[in-house]
């Protein structure tokens, strides 16, 4: 029987310097052709090594095979023009040049299935695989075809469901959909966002999760957080809706934030992946700081439903910092397990 407080990460880990530029989001590959294919797989092996040696219970591929957590998936779809980009506002925080939806989006072939199969074959531990959520996909494009965020989201949800079913068949234990847009577009989350997410996860027998956070530690997000005041209560609007959804787990941000911890009580009946590692800082948390976050969460979530995690992906951090943070996560968790008598 697995111990309580199974540790995991939100998804990404820093890439080796020979694969992509360190401490940079969405850095271009340094390899190409067969060398890139092999380099990505070697990087996955390193990501697994770092997680397993730190004691992480539920591992990921560190998203080593993709440059961007959303657009890399979209690159595998029809109906999107990458040559004539348009500038849009991302998450109401910053402008970015993005690809344009010019026709019906479609998945003509598997996108990540081979990578998920490789990951499953490289470790005996439970495996989590991440996919972008439909609302966040919509928010990372310019739509010149559907002219409806809802219609485009459901088109993406059907595509994601096909991909997720194939990934599940590869032996993956958990499929997580990343939806940072859920912390921004509250009316849309209520009106169709949850429904689109459930469509993406429809029929899956493996554990399903959704990750909602305040974003990577990029300057636009840091500046946005400064405007949020002394209490960040965005989760208060989305958690009750997620509690009523068919999604099994919710991954959230708690470490070094102004999120009132009592809000996680709104997720009654769900597994809660409590972010106890701040990914927006290179300072390494002490095990006691990690334990403090977990103890506070245990006042509202039973131990069997609490999963110590990172706030978000760690791809922008130096590799040695990320490894140290993983060790602190597991050490702090171990201390709380002892207190629980587990």
């Amino acid at each position: 029987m697995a111990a309580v407080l199974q540790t995991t990460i939100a998804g990404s880990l820093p890439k080796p310097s020979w694969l992509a530029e360190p401490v940079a989001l969405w850095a271009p590959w340094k390899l190409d052709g067969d060398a890139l294919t092999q380099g990505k797989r070697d990087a996955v092996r390193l990501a697994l090594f770092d997680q397993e040696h730190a004691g992480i219970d539920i591992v990921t591929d560190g998203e080593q095979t993709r440059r961007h957590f959303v657009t890399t998936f979209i690159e595998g779809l029809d109906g999107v023009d990458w040559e004539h980009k348009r500038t849009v506002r991302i998450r109401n925080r910053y402008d970015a040049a993005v690809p344009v939806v010019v026709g019906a989006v479609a998945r003509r072939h598997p996108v990540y299935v081979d990578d998920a199969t490789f990951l499953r074959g490289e470790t005996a531990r439970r495996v989590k695989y991440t996919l972008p959520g439909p609302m966040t996909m919509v928010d990372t494009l310019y739509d010149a075809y559907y002219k409806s965020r809802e219609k485009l989201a459901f088109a993406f949800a059907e595509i994601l469901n096909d991909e997720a079913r194939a990934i599940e068949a590869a032996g993956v234990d958990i499929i997580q959909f990343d939806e940072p847009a859920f912390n921004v577009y509250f009316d849309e989350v209520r009106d169709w966002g949850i429904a689109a997410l459930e469509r993406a996860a429809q029929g899956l027998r493996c554990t399903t999760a959704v990750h909602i956070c305040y974003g990577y530690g990029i300057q636009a997000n840091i500046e946005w957080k400064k405007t949020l005041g002394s209490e960040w209560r965005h989760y208060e609007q989305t958690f009750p809706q997620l509690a009523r959804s068919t999604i099994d787990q919710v991954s959230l941000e708690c470490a070094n934030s102004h999120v009132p911890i009592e809000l996680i009580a709104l997720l009654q009946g769900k597994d809660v992946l409590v972010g106890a590692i701040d990914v927006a800082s290179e300072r390494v948390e002490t095990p006691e700081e990690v334990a403090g976050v977990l103890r506070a969460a245990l006042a509202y979530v039973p131990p069997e439903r609490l999963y110590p995690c990172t706030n978000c992906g760690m791809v922008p951090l130096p590799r040695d910092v990320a490894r140290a943070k993983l060790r602190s996560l597991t050490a702090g968790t171990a201390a709380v397990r002892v207190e629980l008598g587990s």
Side-chain angles (χ1 to χ4, degrees), residues 94 103 230 238 302 310 314:
Y94 58 93
S230 59
T238 50
T310 57
M314 294 199 285

Side-chain angles (χ1 to χ4, degrees), residues 21 29 33 35 78 145 153 183 238:
E21 192 65 30
W29 303 119
D78 291 345
Y145 180 77
N183 257 4
T238 50

Side-chain angles (χ1 to χ4, degrees), residues 83-331:
E83 294 185 6
H84 306 93
K85 293 183 178 181
R86 299 284 293 269
T87 298
V88 300
R89 195 78 174 163
I90 303 290
R91 249 81 79 204
N92 280 339
R93 279 172 236 166
Y94 58 93
D95 293 331
V98 300
V100 180
V101 178
V102 294
V105 291
R107 169 185 177 269
R108 299 301 182 194
H109 54 76
V111 182
Y112 291 149
V113 177
D114 285 348
D115 293 333
T117 302
F118 176 78
L119 172 66
R120 175 68 282 172
E122 290 294 308
T123 181
R125 301 199 181 196
R126 293 182 70 201
V127 165
K128 177 168 69 175
Y129 207 85
T130 59
L131 291 171
M135 178 179 282
T136 298
M137 291 177 71
V138 168
D139 200 51
T140 316
L141 294 166
Y142 182 88
D143 175 20
Y145 180 77
Y146 291 86
K147 306 295 180 65
S148 163
R149 285 168 64 88
E150 179 179 355
K151 289 179 181 178
L152 179 56
F154 273 92
F156 280 143
E158 292 181 12
I159 289 169
L160 286 165
N161 187 248
D162 289 341
E163 182 76 6
R165 286 172 181 260
I167 289 172
E168 176 187 58
V172 166
D173 303 285
I174 301 164
I175 294 177
Q176 173 181 294
F177 298 93
D178 294 332
E179 283 286 25
F182 274 23
N183 257 4
V184 182
Y185 306 108
F186 303 112
D187 290 344
E188 290 182 317
V189 171
R190 179 198 63 221
D191 293 343
W192 53 263
I194 299 287
L197 174 65
E198 291 180 317
R199 176 64 184 90
Q202 183 176 308
L204 294 176
R205 296 178 298 278
C206 67
T207 300
T208 56
V210 61
H211 174 64
I212 311 173
C213 69
Y214 290 82
Y216 287 126
I218 60 175
Q219 195 59 38
N221 290 337
I222 292 171
E223 293 302 318
W224 173 61
K225 290 179 182 182
K226 291 178 181 177
T227 71
L228 301 182
S230 59
E231 283 195 346
W232 303 352
R233 305 195 69 91
H234 299 69
Y235 290 143
E236 193 168 33
Q237 302 189 53
T238 50
F239 282 178
Q241 298 164 56
L242 286 171
R244 295 190 294 270
S245 76
T246 57
I247 303 300
D248 301 315
Q249 300 184 335
V250 180
S251 171
L252 57 117
E253 176 174 336
C254 292
N256 195 28
S257 74
H258 299 295
V259 175
I261 196 66
E262 64 269 17
L263 294 184
I264 64 176
L266 299 173
L267 289 169
Q268 185 174 5
K270 300 298 182 185
D271 292 343
V272 182
L273 281 62
V274 171
I277 293 292
D278 181 12
V279 301
S281 169
E282 293 187 14
R283 189 186 75 83
V284 177
E285 293 81 357
T286 67
E288 180 55 32
E289 287 172 328
V290 170
V293 173
L294 302 182
R295 292 186 192 108
L298 283 167
Y300 305 98
V301 180
E304 63 273 14
R305 286 199 174 275
L306 195 149
Y307 291 74
C309 190
T310 57
N311 277 358
C312 189
M314 294 199 285
V315 66
L317 296 173
R319 290 185 68 208
D320 60 337
V321 170
R323 285 193 293 262
K325 283 176 175 280
L326 291 178
R327 292 193 296 269
S328 285
L329 179 62
T330 58

Side-chain angles (χ1 to χ4, degrees), residues 68-89:
H68 188 284
F69 80 108
V70 180
T71 57
T72 298
F73 183 76
I74 296 172
E75 286 172 2
L77 308 182
D78 291 345
V80 182
D81 179 2
W82 290 85
E83 294 185 6
H84 306 93
K85 293 183 178 181
R86 299 284 293 269
T87 298
V88 300
R89 195 78 174 163

